[in-house]
Amino acid sequence: MNNDTILINKKSWDEVAPRFYGRTALPEYGPFAPEETELKLFGSVRGKKVLDIGCGSGHSLKYMNDNGAAELWGLDLSHSQISAAGELLKDTNVKLFQSPMELNPGLPQTYFDVVYSIFSLGWTTNLEQTLKNVHEYLKPGGVFIFSWEHPLFSRIQNTDDGLLFNKSYHEEGPYDHQAWNHPAIMQQYKVSTYINSLVDTGFKIIKMVEEARITDELISRDHNRWYNWSKVQSVPTTIIFKCEKH
């Protein structure tokens, strides 16, 4: 775990949290990605204990509550995000923890039916430790679902000559995201690194999704942004995994 990176990212998220209020939350998995209403990766969550890693403003937990989840638990690095989630979910039984995802702040082990992370996992400074924590939180047979920016997307840029690689796909590790306007450090991994890390941790991969869904509304909303139409036509924005604990 890199404490310096975590402190930088916490400060950044505490500042920008209002700008991301309610953004990229279930049923959405990510920009231009198929939604849960189509994929149905979770199935019924009625009566289940769920944990959100990187819960942000709490809107994915609200989605879980609206669909009958029995227990709502959330973890996020940012004090601002946890405060927003607490206010949004004040009429529920939610339990919220402000903590890096690399640490267990007191969450029960072998307890949850479902752990998920919507467009947050790439902020971890230690993928293996975070996956180990998730595996420990889940009951045997429990499900882990997560989405993140597709590893190809930030390696390719729009130019006047078309789409070009701006860094090697083989390069992994921390990087400053081109579209992030505050000091912050994300992590870059190959698809094979995610797959192998999940398998090595003890997960069975049930499904991987990297398709795009393109609508006129999304094209209009995201025009000239990082996730723009000309790039999305050729490069997937989002990768989604559904896994099961052995």
Side-chain angles (χ1 to χ4, degrees):
M1 186 174 80
N2 189 314
N3 290 324
D4 291 339
T5 296
I6 287 172
L7 288 173
I8 290 169
N9 290 344
K10 180 184 182 305
K11 181 179 179 181
S12 182
W13 269 110
D14 282 341
E15 291 176 358
V16 305
R19 182 159 64 91
F20 288 90
Y21 185 81
R23 290 265 298 277
T24 315
L26 288 171
E28 293 184 19
Y29 280 101
F32 290 105
E35 295 189 0
E36 173 60 12
T37 48
E38 174 188 349
L39 295 175
K40 297 179 171 56
L41 298 179
F42 285 90
S44 174
V45 297
R46 184 164 298 279
K48 293 184 177 180
K49 302 169 184 175
V50 304
L51 168 63
D52 188 334
I53 303 292
C55 64
S57 55
H59 286 77
S60 289
L61 284 167
K62 183 179 184 303
Y63 176 86
M64 287 290 170
N65 185 67
D66 293 344
N67 283 275
E71 293 188 21
L72 308 174
W73 298 63
L75 178 151
D76 200 278
L77 177 63
S78 164
H79 171 77
S80 297
Q81 294 282 48
I82 289 292
S83 296
E87 179 62 26
L88 179 72
L89 300 165
K90 62 184 178 183
D91 296 325
T92 73
N93 65 347
V94 70
K95 298 178 178 67
L96 298 172
F97 294 77
Q98 182 190 336
S99 171
M101 62 182 77
E102 298 88 344
L103 296 176
N104 181 350
L107 293 163
Q109 297 186 357
T110 321
Y111 185 78
F112 295 96
D113 301 293
V114 178
V115 178
Y116 66 91
S117 181
I118 305 302
F119 235 67
S120 296
L121 198 72
W123 289 94
T124 182
T125 64
N126 188 322
L127 179 63
E128 290 74 19
Q129 183 59 52
T130 296
L131 293 179
K132 181 176 182 290
N133 291 346
V134 170
H135 194 269
E136 291 175 347
Y137 299 146
L138 282 166
K139 298 176 180 177
V143 171
F144 176 43
I145 296 171
F146 73 91
S147 65
W148 181 241
E149 184 175 272
H150 196 284
L152 279 174
F153 201 81
S154 66
R155 290 171 162 96
I156 295 174
Q157 64 181 356
N158 293 83
T159 73
D160 293 338
D161 298 316
L163 298 176
L164 296 175
F165 271 89
N166 58 14
K167 70 165 76 170
S168 168
Y169 179 70
H170 303 293
E171 182 180 333
E172 296 189 291
Y175 74 107
D176 296 317
H177 198 297
Q178 175 183 335
W180 195 257
N181 297 323
H182 289 71
I185 301 170
M186 297 183 191
Q187 305 296 318
Q188 189 91 55
Y189 300 109
K190 296 180 290 187
V191 173
S192 60
T193 298
Y194 284 113
I195 291 172
N196 292 328
S197 296
L198 287 163
V199 172
D200 290 346
T201 304
F203 284 106
K204 176 183 178 181
I205 298 173
I206 305 298
K207 192 165 188 175
M208 186 182 84
V209 179
E210 53 182 354
E211 282 74 27
R213 290 294 180 267
I214 299 167
T215 67
D216 290 341
E217 188 272 331
L218 288 173
I219 293 170
S220 174
R221 186 179 73 184
D222 290 336
H223 181 63
N224 289 331
R225 289 174 51 187
W226 175 250
Y227 300 105
N228 60 74
W229 162 237
S230 59
K231 192 172 177 181
V232 170
Q233 290 180 91
S234 300
V235 185
T237 62
T238 303
I239 192 165
I240 307 167
F241 283 93
K242 178 178 180 179
C243 314
E244 183 180 281
K245 177 178 178 175
H246 286 311

